[in-house]
């Protein structure tokens, strides 16, 4: 505990050599992190909520809702307007990813977190079915070669 | 369990025979009178499936299959969210209403196809549309080996049967007990809040009545206070009078007793003095008292004799 006490004034302390090495290295890491934050992290738009989300207008943030500009639904679009409709859509990777996650959240809301009185047995078996389905999907590559030998159109 | 306790020591050349008592429910159950009509074996099975008790029973036995096909519906509906409440004046309630939690999951057909994917067919093909569409799609994919029914597909049959058994045997009871447990948990927290607010609620209930009662009684306060004061004064007066009387009595008694004692003492003293003095005078014959007394007696006697 004596090392926690402030030493008296005009005390001569010689520096500890390991500290002379560790402190500059730690400072270098700290500076690197600060530069990375200021240059990269604070300027990204990855992982942030939608830019046009306003809590006063939209209320609480719901992950399965889209907070951008509303457009006609795909099944209500006429075939002649389909090209224009597709042109209006954002085709960037982050837009694809956000839409994908929104659908995941939608399934989560409808079947898992939304219902107050969900059926336990059905939920458990849905998990089992989902796991089995993903397993089946991931193993389909084993059957591609075999399928070429079985039938002709 | 060895049979040695049952078997005795064998005689020479005898076969070992062990007697094992067998008991089963069929041997224990009593058969009813032969006059009544008894259901046959298959009729009994049918009655059991329908949940009807047999003639020899008061109620059907409890079984896993009591709740086949039952869906648990909670008795109390969820609390409603006000439809036009705006946290902020600019709130858009048309496109972004408050995310209410639904009571149940979306309905599914054959547990695989959601309802929302089937209902658009009704306008065009009628109610058989979705089944034909998805059934045909499945048949096409299967036939052209676009969806391969691999060797591990046999598990589907078993899993489906397992799911149906679990759902029909335990699903209803599980949902019921979980609902009860959830309600108990919610009630626990609600009671905590209620306890905190108990004093406030009681105060609110009683304060109005208390103020009214006070107002009604306030008019009589002057007379009440005066009466109380008068009673207190009366009591203190009586106490004081009592004290004074006792003190006076004590003092007078004291004086009386001292006076009496003094008088008694004086009397006793005087008596003693006089009697002792006289006796002493007589004894010492001071001033010839004895002679004078004798002379007095003689003269008296002379008077007596002359008078008679």
């Amino acid at each position: 505990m004596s090392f926690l006490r402030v030493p008296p004034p005009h005390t001569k302390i010689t520096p500890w050599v390991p500290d002379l090495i560790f402190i500059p290295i730690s400072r270098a890491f700290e500076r690197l992190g600060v530069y990375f934050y200021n240059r990269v992290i604070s300027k990204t738009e990855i992982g942030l909520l939608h830019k046009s989300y306003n809590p006063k207008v939209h209320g609480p943030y719901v992950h399965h809702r889209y907070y951008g500009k509303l457009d006609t639904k795909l099944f209500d679009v006429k075939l002649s307007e389909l090209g224009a409709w597709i042109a209006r859509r954002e085709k960037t990777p982050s837009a694809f990813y956000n839409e994908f996650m929104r659908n995941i959240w939608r399934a989560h809301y409808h079947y898992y977190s939304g219902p107050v009185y969900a059926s336990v047995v059905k939920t458990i078996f849905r998990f089992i079915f989902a796991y089995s389905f993903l397993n089946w999907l991931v193993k389909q590559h084993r059957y591609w070669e075999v399928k070429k030998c079985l039938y002709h159109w | 369990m060895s049979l040695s306790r049952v078997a005795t020591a064998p005689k020479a050349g005898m076969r070992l025979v062990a007697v094992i008592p067998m008991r089963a429910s069929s041997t224990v159950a009593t058969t009813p009178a032969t006059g009544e009509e008894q259901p046959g074996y298959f009729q009994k099975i049918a009655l059991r499936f329908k949940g009807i008790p047999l003639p020899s029973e008061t109620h059907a036995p409890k079984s896993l299959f009591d709740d086949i096909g039952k869906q648990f519906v909670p008795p109390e509906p969820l609390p409603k969210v006000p439809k036009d409440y705006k946290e902020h004046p600019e709130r858009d309630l048309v496109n972004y209403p408050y995310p209410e939690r639904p009571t149940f999951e979306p309905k599914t057909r054959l547990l695989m196809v959601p309802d929302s994917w089937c209902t658009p067919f009704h306008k065009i093909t009628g109610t058989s549309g979705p089944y034909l569409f998805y059934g045909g799609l499945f048949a096409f994919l299967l036939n052209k080996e676009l969806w391969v029914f691999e060797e591990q597909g046999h598990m589907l049959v078993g899993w489906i049967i397992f799911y149906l058994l679990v759902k029909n045997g335990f699903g209803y009871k599980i949902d019921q007990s979980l609902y009860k447990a959830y309600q108990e948990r919610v009630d626990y927290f609600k009671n905590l809040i209620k306890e905190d607010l108990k004093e406030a609620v009681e105060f609110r209930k009683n304060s109005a009545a208390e103020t009214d009662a006070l107002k009604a009684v306030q008019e009589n306060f002057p007379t009440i206070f005066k009466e109380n004061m008068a009673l207190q004064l009366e009591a203190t007066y009586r106490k004081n009078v009592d004290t004074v009387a006792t003190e006076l009595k004590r003092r007078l008694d004291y004086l009386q007793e001292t006076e009496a004692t003094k008088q008694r003492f004086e009397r006793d003293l005087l008596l003693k003095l006089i009697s002792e003095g006289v006796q002493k005078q007589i004894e010492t014959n001071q001033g010839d008292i004895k002679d004078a007394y004798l002379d007095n007696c003689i003269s008296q006697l002379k008077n007596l004799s002359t008078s008679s």
Side-chain angles (χ1 to χ4, degrees), chain A residues 57 65 109 114 116-117 126 136, chain B residues 92 97 100-103 147:
Chain A
V57 174
R65 278 181 186 164
Y109 173 75
V116 180
Y117 302 118
R126 275 195 198 110
W136 173 84
Chain B
D92 183 7
E100 250 183 277
R101 283 189 73 184
T103 321
W147 180 76

Side-chain angles (χ1 to χ4, degrees), chain B residues 39-85:
Chain B
Y41 185 71
F42 293 105
Q43 283 150 2
K44 274 194 208 164
I45 289 171
L47 286 175
R48 277 269 188 266
F49 262 106
K50 286 179 201 159
I52 298 164
L54 297 177
S56 57
E57 294 167 347
T58 45
H59 52 266
K62 205 166 68 152
S63 78
L64 273 181
F65 308 115
D66 289 335
D67 312 318
I68 287 180
K70 277 198 215 168
Q71 165 88 6
F72 177 71
V73 174
E76 276 182 26
L78 293 173
K80 294 229 180 315
V81 175
K83 283 273 176 283
D84 49 3
Y85 173 65

Side-chain angles (χ1 to χ4, degrees), chain A residues 7-21:
Chain A
H10 305 299
T11 306
K12 298 271 190 294
I13 304 172
T14 52
W16 188 45
V17 168
D19 260 353
L20 288 174
I21 299 161

Side-chain angles (χ1 to χ4, degrees), chain A residues 11-12 17 26 29-31 35 39 47 49-50 54 56-57 59 62 72 83-84 98 114 116 132 150:
Chain A
T11 306
K12 298 271 190 294
V17 168
S26 311
F29 273 111
E30 187 196 356
R31 288 286 106 208
Y35 173 80
R39 186 85 163 79
L49 301 179
H50 203 274
N54 185 359
K56 291 178 190 168
V57 174
V62 182
T72 49
N98 288 333
V116 180
S132 313
L150 282 168

